[in-house]
Amino acid sequence: MGIFRTKSIEDSIRDTEEPDHRLRRNLNALDLTVFGVGVIVGTGIFVLTGRVARDLAGPAVALSFVVAAVVCTLAALCYAEFASTIPVAGSAYTFSFATIGEFPAWIIGWDLMLEMALGAAVVAVGWSGYFTSLLSTAGVHLPDTIAGDNPIVNLPAVAIVLILTVVLVLGIKLSSRVNLVVVTIKVAVVLLVIFAGLFFIEAANYTPFIPPARSTPEVEGLTAPLIQVLFGITPVAYGVLGIFSAAAIVFFAYIGFDVVATAAEETRNPQRDLPRGIIGSLVICTILYVGVSLVVVGMEPYSRLSEAAPLADAFRAVGQPWIAGLISIGAIAGLTTVVMILMLGQSRILFAMSRDGLLPKGLAQVHPTFGTPARTTVIIGAATAVLAGLIPLSALAELVNIGTLFAFVVVSIGIVVLRRTRPDLPRAFRTPLVPVLPALSVLACLYLMLNLPVETWLRFVVWMIIGVAIFFLYGHRHSRAARDRP
């Protein structure tokens, strides 16, 4: 069928050499690792730790981070093989086009907008909250109409998105340098939390390390997890099952490592550097997450951890408000890089889709001076600014999660398909234990997807229906693959 035609890997790589669509190769393994750390270390480590420890896992929340890291590693190993074998912008979209076909590739590209564009807007709103709070501490109070919980227009969120859009347009190397500076700040703050917190740990707070299991309050209707509706499995807090329930939430603290793959076309030695960047950033962040979670639950009883700012509040509780202030600065730095790199990833996916003709090809023009996909970057920046400034996004945030997990499932399947269809293809990095490891990745991601609310699934289905309509009304008719293979 025409909608399942694939684009050969050779054609994908050949496209990267077209003068009007050639991105500059300026990134190395360190740049990619820093990009990965920059997008992963954000809201999760500064917010999720307290909530899941208090409500689901207790002190064993560190084990939840390990479980989530294992699930991410399964998908990361699949991404590493694809990214090093097909070093082309577009990440899961490009991988799907090479293995499963045009229509699935479009679906994945459309799906990734949930993770990156919407995710960037959600995080920008969070950045605005931290920034406004820090200004208030310094005696500067912004009007409620432009900041706060329910502003008419969230100007700080709009401002940070527009500033980062300019940085992204000016060049990938400038973006990587800005990211390096900001990532250094926030990693330093995280290390401060770990080492300073060691002096305030009370051993009694670790007992019991895995609290006795109990059922969570009943959840009904559209807010119930899909696994409860389908199989009658009620979520459990604490105990061993509580560790896995918490893992389904803290998994989303790792979202973003796949963005590293979107920079494949701008990497000097993608065969060597992409696997290092993807896996290296995941390992670094896992160590930081486990360290922070162990320290925080040791400083304060897990039942008293705050939801909004568990790290800062833990230090306030032990009489160290100055460290709490530094943590707020680290949170602002952390969210800044998350917004920037999510926008970078989305602009590259939009660039790849436009170059293939599934979106207007004029969007795939590279800026003659800066060597960046300036048009798609500006479009993503403008859309993100509007979303962050005008639309309350809390109800839509879980769409980011389901979009990411769906992409992980498709990439894991694609590895098995490509091994069968192109066994001769040179592979600088090979995912181990194929097809067992990709199958485990698919099952783990599907399990986490089933733990999302029914309403999230309904919104996801509506978003996909809109995407299918756009594909058949425009993308399928204008596709380069359709013109090249009548």
Side-chain angles (χ1 to χ4, degrees), residues 395-465:
L396 301 178
E398 285 177 334
L399 280 171
V400 178
N401 310 335
I402 196 169
T404 303
L405 286 164
F406 182 64
F408 286 3
V409 168
V410 174
V411 168
S412 300
I413 294 172
I415 282 293
V416 179
V417 173
L418 193 62
R419 287 284 186 94
R420 292 183 177 274
T421 58
R422 293 294 305 271
D424 58 315
L425 200 65
R427 290 169 168 84
F429 178 90
R430 297 179 68 89
T431 303
L433 302 176
V434 173
V436 175
L437 188 145
L440 290 175
S441 177
V442 170
L443 292 174
C445 291
L446 288 175
Y447 171 75
L448 295 182
M449 291 173 73
L450 288 173
N451 278 276
L452 293 171
V454 173
E455 60 186 356
T456 298
W457 279 88
L458 293 177
R459 293 186 182 114
F460 180 66
V461 169
V462 170
W463 176 258
M464 285 300 162
I465 291 173

XYZ file of all heavy atoms in Angstrom, residues 395-465:
562
model
N -4.200 20.376 32.576
C -5.006 19.210 32.205
C -4.425 18.460 31.011
O -4.745 17.301 30.780
C -6.436 19.654 31.872
N -3.563 19.164 30.223
C -3.009 18.546 29.021
C -1.622 17.964 29.232
O -1.073 17.312 28.351
C -2.947 19.588 27.896
C -4.271 20.237 27.491
C -4.028 21.277 26.415
C -5.255 19.195 27.006
N -1.037 18.185 30.409
C 0.359 17.805 30.617
C 0.591 16.306 30.449
O 1.632 15.888 29.949
C 0.809 18.255 32.005
N -0.404 15.475 30.847
C -0.198 14.037 30.738
C -0.172 13.559 29.291
O 0.293 12.450 29.005
C -1.289 13.294 31.519
C -1.059 13.354 33.026
C -2.170 12.678 33.807
O -3.298 12.619 33.287
O -1.905 12.231 34.923
N -0.639 14.394 28.347
C -0.504 14.048 26.933
C 0.960 13.932 26.536
O 1.320 13.161 25.649
C -1.202 15.108 26.064
C -2.718 14.997 25.930
C -3.272 16.228 25.237
C -3.110 13.741 25.178
N 1.809 14.724 27.183
C 3.245 14.638 26.931
C 3.734 13.229 27.218
O 4.500 12.637 26.455
C 4.009 15.654 27.807
C 5.504 15.529 27.591
C 3.541 17.072 27.496
N 3.257 12.645 28.298
C 3.708 11.329 28.714
C 3.296 10.237 27.733
O 4.108 9.413 27.324
C 3.126 11.005 30.089
C 3.357 12.118 31.092
O 4.287 12.897 30.965
N 2.504 12.193 32.097
N 2.034 10.232 27.344
C 1.550 9.172 26.469
C 2.166 9.298 25.078
O 2.456 8.292 24.421
C -0.001 9.170 26.402
C -0.495 7.840 25.830
C -0.536 10.342 25.599
C -2.001 7.647 25.972
N 2.414 10.526 24.632
C 3.060 10.715 23.341
C 4.464 10.138 23.318
O 4.877 9.485 22.353
N 5.208 10.349 24.388
C 6.567 9.839 24.474
C 6.589 8.318 24.506
O 7.366 7.671 23.791
C 7.246 10.378 25.745
O 7.206 11.799 25.718
C 8.692 9.935 25.823
N 5.751 7.732 25.337
C 5.729 6.274 25.451
C 5.326 5.615 24.138
O 5.869 4.565 23.759
C 4.762 5.864 26.568
C 5.283 6.128 27.984
C 4.145 6.072 28.989
C 6.358 5.130 28.346
N 4.405 6.216 23.418
C 3.992 5.674 22.120
C 5.170 5.679 21.148
O 5.384 4.708 20.401
C 2.827 6.493 21.574
C 2.286 5.984 20.261
C 1.702 4.729 20.183
C 2.358 6.759 19.122
C 1.206 4.262 18.974
C 1.865 6.296 17.913
C 1.282 5.045 17.832
N 5.954 6.757 21.157
C 7.136 6.820 20.297
C 8.142 5.736 20.672
O 8.750 5.099 19.804
C 7.785 8.199 20.403
N 8.324 5.504 21.973
C 9.247 4.461 22.421
C 8.819 3.091 21.900
O 9.649 2.276 21.496
C 9.299 4.421 23.950
C 10.051 5.565 24.579
C 10.588 6.585 23.815
C 10.210 5.625 25.963
C 11.269 7.639 24.404
C 10.900 6.665 26.558
C 11.429 7.677 25.776
N 7.512 2.826 21.922
C 6.998 1.539 21.448
C 7.329 1.349 19.970
O 7.821 0.287 19.551
C 5.471 1.457 21.678
C 4.869 0.264 20.930
C 5.164 1.335 23.165
N 7.081 2.380 19.165
C 7.302 2.265 17.725
C 8.781 2.095 17.406
O 9.164 1.290 16.553
C 6.720 3.492 16.997
C 7.071 3.449 15.514
C 5.207 3.545 17.177
N 9.657 2.836 18.095
C 11.090 2.714 17.854
C 11.579 1.314 18.215
O 12.391 0.708 17.495
C 11.872 3.778 18.656
C 13.371 3.486 18.646
C 11.621 5.158 18.062
N 11.085 0.772 19.312
C 11.495 -0.575 19.733
C 11.072 -1.621 18.703
O 11.828 -2.558 18.401
C 10.895 -0.901 21.101
O 11.336 0.026 22.081
N 9.873 -1.492 18.153
C 9.418 -2.401 17.100
C 10.258 -2.221 15.847
O 10.635 -3.185 15.167
C 7.928 -2.169 16.798
C 7.071 -2.566 18.002
C 7.486 -2.950 15.560
C 5.601 -2.191 17.872
N 10.588 -0.955 15.531
C 11.346 -0.662 14.324
C 12.715 -1.316 14.292
O 13.211 -1.690 13.214
N 13.353 -1.472 15.450
C 14.663 -2.119 15.503
C 14.576 -3.551 14.980
O 15.414 -4.007 14.193
C 15.213 -2.115 16.946
C 15.769 -0.739 17.294
C 16.299 -3.170 17.141
C 17.004 -0.346 16.503
N 13.548 -4.279 15.411
C 13.369 -5.660 14.968
C 13.098 -5.707 13.470
O 13.654 -6.545 12.739
C 12.220 -6.330 15.750
C 12.004 -7.769 15.274
C 12.505 -6.301 17.239
N 12.253 -4.777 12.979
C 11.924 -4.743 11.556
C 13.173 -4.472 10.729
O 13.443 -5.156 9.718
C 10.849 -3.669 11.284
C 10.629 -3.512 9.779
C 9.545 -4.025 11.973
N 13.980 -3.493 11.139
C 15.167 -3.131 10.357
C 16.202 -4.256 10.369
O 16.910 -4.459 9.376
C 15.780 -1.849 10.911
C 16.839 -1.181 10.014
C 16.219 -0.759 8.689
C 17.453 0.029 10.712
N 16.313 -4.978 11.468
C 17.246 -6.111 11.500
C 16.851 -7.165 10.456
O 17.708 -7.845 9.880
C 17.261 -6.745 12.887
C 17.968 -5.921 13.959
C 19.481 -5.994 13.825
N 20.132 -5.318 14.931
C 20.548 -5.922 16.050
N 20.368 -7.224 16.193
N 21.129 -5.221 17.005
N 15.548 -7.318 10.216
C 15.081 -8.331 9.264
C 15.139 -7.829 7.825
O 15.465 -8.584 6.908
C 13.654 -8.766 9.610
C 13.562 -9.540 10.930
C 12.147 -10.008 11.199
N 12.066 -10.804 12.426
C 12.296 -12.101 12.489
N 12.601 -12.761 11.380
N 12.196 -12.762 13.634
N 14.779 -6.551 7.623
C 14.732 -6.032 6.259
C 16.095 -5.596 5.730
O 16.344 -5.665 4.530
C 13.753 -4.845 6.166
O 14.167 -3.820 7.094
C 12.332 -5.281 6.501
N 16.989 -5.139 6.625
C 18.321 -4.696 6.191
C 19.404 -5.294 7.097
O 20.101 -4.570 7.813
C 18.401 -3.155 6.222
C 17.525 -2.444 5.214
C 17.978 -2.733 3.771
N 19.372 -2.421 3.557
C 19.825 -1.224 3.179
N 18.962 -0.223 3.016
N 21.111 -1.024 2.980
N 19.559 -6.617 7.072
C 20.594 -7.224 7.925
C 22.002 -6.848 7.505
O 22.941 -6.950 8.295
C 20.343 -8.728 7.746
C 19.659 -8.845 6.418
C 18.820 -7.616 6.300
N 22.154 -6.386 6.244
C 23.473 -6.033 5.710
C 23.931 -4.637 6.114
O 25.089 -4.270 5.893
C 23.420 -6.084 4.173
C 22.356 -5.129 3.618
O 21.224 -5.115 4.165
O 22.650 -4.397 2.656
N 23.063 -3.862 6.720
C 23.360 -2.465 6.996
C 24.478 -2.330 8.037
O 24.423 -2.975 9.084
C 22.096 -1.779 7.508
C 22.033 -0.252 7.430
C 22.044 0.212 5.984
C 20.763 0.230 8.132
N 25.496 -1.508 7.773
C 26.548 -1.304 8.789
C 25.963 -0.637 10.028
O 25.251 0.354 9.937
C 27.548 -0.365 8.076
C 27.255 -0.518 6.617
C 25.786 -0.797 6.520
N 26.270 -1.198 11.183
C 25.745 -0.675 12.443
C 26.904 -0.406 13.390
O 27.548 -1.338 13.877
C 24.755 -1.667 13.067
C 23.441 -1.796 12.291
C 22.623 -2.977 12.801
N 21.262 -2.964 12.279
C 20.910 -3.457 11.096
N 21.829 -4.004 10.309
N 19.654 -3.409 10.697
N 27.139 0.887 13.678
C 28.226 1.244 14.590
C 27.891 0.826 16.014
O 28.776 0.518 16.812
C 28.487 2.753 14.533
N 26.593 0.819 16.344
C 26.128 0.377 17.662
C 24.988 -0.595 17.439
O 24.079 -0.335 16.646
C 25.657 1.560 18.509
C 25.126 1.158 19.861
C 25.979 1.072 20.954
C 23.788 0.850 20.039
C 25.503 0.682 22.199
C 23.297 0.471 21.282
C 24.166 0.388 22.363
N 25.021 -1.722 18.114
C 23.987 -2.742 17.960
C 23.255 -2.937 19.292
O 23.890 -3.175 20.329
C 24.580 -4.071 17.494
C 25.219 -4.001 16.121
C 25.817 -5.351 15.735
N 24.785 -6.347 15.514
C 24.189 -6.572 14.336
N 24.536 -5.836 13.280
N 23.268 -7.495 14.211
N 21.933 -2.812 19.250
C 21.136 -3.094 20.435
C 21.313 -4.565 20.809
O 21.139 -5.439 19.957
C 19.652 -2.828 20.151
O 19.490 -1.475 19.728
C 18.805 -3.065 21.395
N 21.668 -4.866 22.052
C 21.888 -6.268 22.422
C 20.578 -7.043 22.562
O 19.506 -6.468 22.737
C 22.602 -6.167 23.779
C 22.159 -4.858 24.340
C 21.964 -3.947 23.159
N 20.677 -8.365 22.434
C 19.566 -9.286 22.718
C 18.313 -8.995 21.896
O 17.189 -9.050 22.397
C 19.228 -9.272 24.212
C 20.368 -9.640 25.170
C 19.912 -9.476 26.614
C 20.845 -11.057 24.914
N 18.496 -8.659 20.621
C 17.340 -8.485 19.736
C 16.860 -9.880 19.319
O 17.665 -10.736 18.956
C 17.751 -7.655 18.501
C 16.608 -7.598 17.482
C 18.172 -6.252 18.916
N 15.551 -10.176 19.369
C 14.408 -9.274 19.608
C 13.931 -9.219 21.057
O 12.902 -8.593 21.326
C 13.324 -9.888 18.728
C 13.599 -11.368 18.826
C 15.100 -11.506 18.901
N 14.630 -9.889 21.986
C 14.131 -9.955 23.360
C 14.100 -8.577 24.009
O 13.088 -8.169 24.605
C 15.003 -10.919 24.198
C 14.561 -10.896 25.663
C 14.916 -12.333 23.640
N 15.203 -7.835 23.914
C 15.254 -6.521 24.574
C 14.212 -5.550 24.002
O 13.510 -4.896 24.781
C 16.664 -5.941 24.483
C 16.920 -4.665 25.287
C 18.347 -4.644 25.830
C 16.691 -3.423 24.417
N 14.065 -5.410 22.675
C 12.991 -4.534 22.170
C 11.605 -4.976 22.620
O 10.746 -4.133 22.900
C 13.143 -4.640 20.647
C 14.571 -4.995 20.436
C 14.922 -5.891 21.582
N 11.377 -6.299 22.712
C 10.070 -6.779 23.168
C 9.826 -6.364 24.613
O 8.714 -5.935 24.978
C 9.995 -8.303 23.031
N 10.856 -6.479 25.455
C 10.719 -6.030 26.849
C 10.448 -4.532 26.908
O 9.658 -4.065 27.738
C 11.991 -6.364 27.622
C 12.251 -7.858 27.900
C 13.607 -8.033 28.561
C 11.152 -8.442 28.777
N 11.091 -3.773 26.025
C 10.867 -2.323 25.985
C 9.412 -2.013 25.642
O 8.778 -1.156 26.274
C 11.801 -1.682 24.953
O 11.550 -0.291 24.837
N 8.863 -2.709 24.655
C 7.466 -2.499 24.256
C 6.527 -2.818 25.415
O 5.612 -2.040 25.736
C 7.118 -3.363 23.026
C 5.613 -3.343 22.765
C 7.869 -2.875 21.795
N 6.739 -3.953 26.069
C 5.864 -4.362 27.165
C 5.941 -3.386 28.335
O 4.918 -3.028 28.937
C 6.240 -5.772 27.628
C 5.955 -6.904 26.632
C 6.506 -8.221 27.155
C 4.455 -7.015 26.353
N 7.154 -2.938 28.664
C 7.313 -2.002 29.779
C 6.629 -0.677 29.485
O 5.956 -0.097 30.355
C 8.800 -1.781 30.055
N 6.772 -0.176 28.257
C 6.142 1.101 27.900
C 4.624 0.976 27.880
O 3.910 1.881 28.325
C 6.654 1.582 26.544
S 8.388 2.083 26.537
N 4.117 -0.140 27.354
C 2.669 -0.343 27.339
C 2.108 -0.413 28.758
O 1.024 0.108 29.031
C 2.326 -1.624 26.573
C 2.503 -1.567 25.059
C 2.239 -2.935 24.442
C 1.578 -0.525 24.431
N 2.859 -1.041 29.678
C 2.402 -1.095 31.064
C 2.274 0.307 31.650
O 1.285 0.624 32.323
C 3.379 -1.929 31.906
C 3.098 -1.851 33.389
C 2.023 -2.535 33.952
C 3.888 -1.072 34.229
C 1.741 -2.444 35.311
C 3.624 -0.971 35.584
C 2.553 -1.657 36.127
O 2.276 -1.555 37.463
N 3.264 1.146 31.390
C 3.198 2.506 31.918
C 2.066 3.299 31.260
O 1.401 4.108 31.914
C 4.536 3.217 31.714
C 5.720 2.621 32.479
C 6.976 3.446 32.216
C 5.445 2.569 33.973
N 1.842 3.076 29.961
C 0.737 3.750 29.281
C -0.603 3.355 29.892
O -1.505 4.192 30.038
C 0.752 3.426 27.786
C 1.935 4.037 27.035
S 2.033 3.481 25.315
C 0.668 4.395 24.589
N -0.749 2.091 30.274
C -2.001 1.626 30.864
C -2.263 2.263 32.217
O -3.404 2.273 32.698
C -1.989 0.099 31.007
C -2.105 -0.707 29.712
C -1.900 -2.182 29.985
C -3.451 -0.471 29.036
N -1.226 2.782 32.856
C -1.393 3.427 34.157
C -1.817 4.894 34.022
O -2.016 5.565 35.033
C -0.102 3.332 34.961
C 0.044 1.991 35.651
O -0.485 1.768 36.732
N 0.739 1.071 34.999
N -1.950 5.390 32.798
C -2.414 6.762 32.590
C -3.937 6.805 32.597
O -4.591 5.823 32.247
C -1.866 7.304 31.265
C -0.344 7.506 31.234
C 0.123 7.824 29.827
C 0.066 8.615 32.197
N -4.518 7.963 32.971
C -5.983 8.060 33.069
C -6.697 7.872 31.737
O -6.135 8.130 30.670
C -6.194 9.489 33.604
C -4.904 9.862 34.242
C -3.841 9.173 33.441
N -7.942 7.449 31.821
C -8.770 7.261 30.634
C -8.884 8.558 29.844
O -8.829 8.559 28.609
C -10.171 6.748 31.031
C -11.103 6.712 29.821
C -10.069 5.367 31.676
N -9.044 9.697 30.537
C -9.201 10.971 29.839
C -7.969 11.317 29.016
O -8.079 11.940 27.949
C -9.531 12.095 30.824
C -8.488 12.335 31.888
C -8.934 13.365 32.908
O -10.030 13.934 32.726
O -8.204 13.592 33.884
N -6.793 10.904 29.473
C -5.572 11.130 28.696
C -5.614 10.326 27.405
O -5.247 10.820 26.336
C -4.337 10.736 29.526
O -4.274 11.552 30.689
C -3.060 10.925 28.722
N -6.074 9.095 27.493
C -6.201 8.267 26.294
C -7.208 8.865 25.306
O -6.984 8.838 24.092
C -6.636 6.852 26.695
C -5.503 5.997 27.169
C -5.025 5.896 28.446
C -4.697 5.130 26.373
N -3.968 5.019 28.489
C -3.746 4.533 27.239
C -4.684 4.797 25.025
C -2.800 3.609 26.780
C -3.737 3.881 24.573
C -2.807 3.304 25.441
N -8.316 9.399 25.825
C -9.325 9.987 24.931
C -8.760 11.207 24.203
O -8.958 11.366 22.990
C -10.566 10.377 25.734
C -11.372 9.205 26.329
C -12.527 9.728 27.172
C -11.879 8.283 25.221
N -8.027 12.063 24.928
C -7.415 13.224 24.276
C -6.382 12.782 23.237
O -6.253 13.391 22.174
C -6.765 14.126 25.329
C -7.747 14.806 26.261
C -7.030 15.795 27.169
N -7.944 16.426 28.105
C -7.918 16.261 29.426
N -6.993 15.486 29.963
N -8.780 16.870 30.207
N -5.648 11.738 23.564
C -4.640 11.215 22.644
C -5.297 10.724 21.353
O -4.803 10.990 20.245
C -3.881 10.074 23.335
C -2.806 9.446 22.504
C -1.682 10.159 22.132
C -2.911 8.121 22.109
C -0.674 9.571 21.380
C -1.915 7.523 21.356
C -0.791 8.250 20.988
N -6.407 10.020 21.481
C -7.115 9.514 20.300
C -7.622 10.668 19.442
O -7.498 10.652 18.203
C -8.287 8.596 20.722
C -9.186 8.278 19.532
C -7.749 7.308 21.331
N -8.171 11.711 20.071
C -8.655 12.877 19.316
C -7.499 13.539 18.562
O -7.621 13.893 17.382
C -9.340 13.886 20.262
C -9.628 15.194 19.538
C -10.626 13.299 20.832
N -6.355 13.706 19.247
C -5.187 14.318 18.607
C -4.744 13.491 17.395
O -4.406 14.035 16.347
C -4.052 14.428 19.628
C -2.762 14.965 19.082
C -1.653 14.250 18.746
C -2.439 16.331 18.791
N -0.659 15.075 18.276
C -1.127 16.351 18.299
C -3.149 17.523 18.919
C -0.490 17.535 17.925
C -2.518 18.705 18.538
C -1.211 18.702 18.047
N -4.766 12.171 17.522
C -4.355 11.306 16.426
C -5.332 11.368 15.255
O -4.934 11.313 14.092
C -4.222 9.861 16.933
C -2.983 9.636 17.767
S -1.496 10.003 16.787
C -0.294 10.212 18.082
N -6.627 11.483 15.542
C -7.620 11.607 14.464
C -7.367 12.873 13.658
O -7.425 12.876 12.424
C -9.045 11.599 15.055
C -9.369 10.201 15.609
C -10.070 12.016 14.006
C -10.689 10.130 16.360
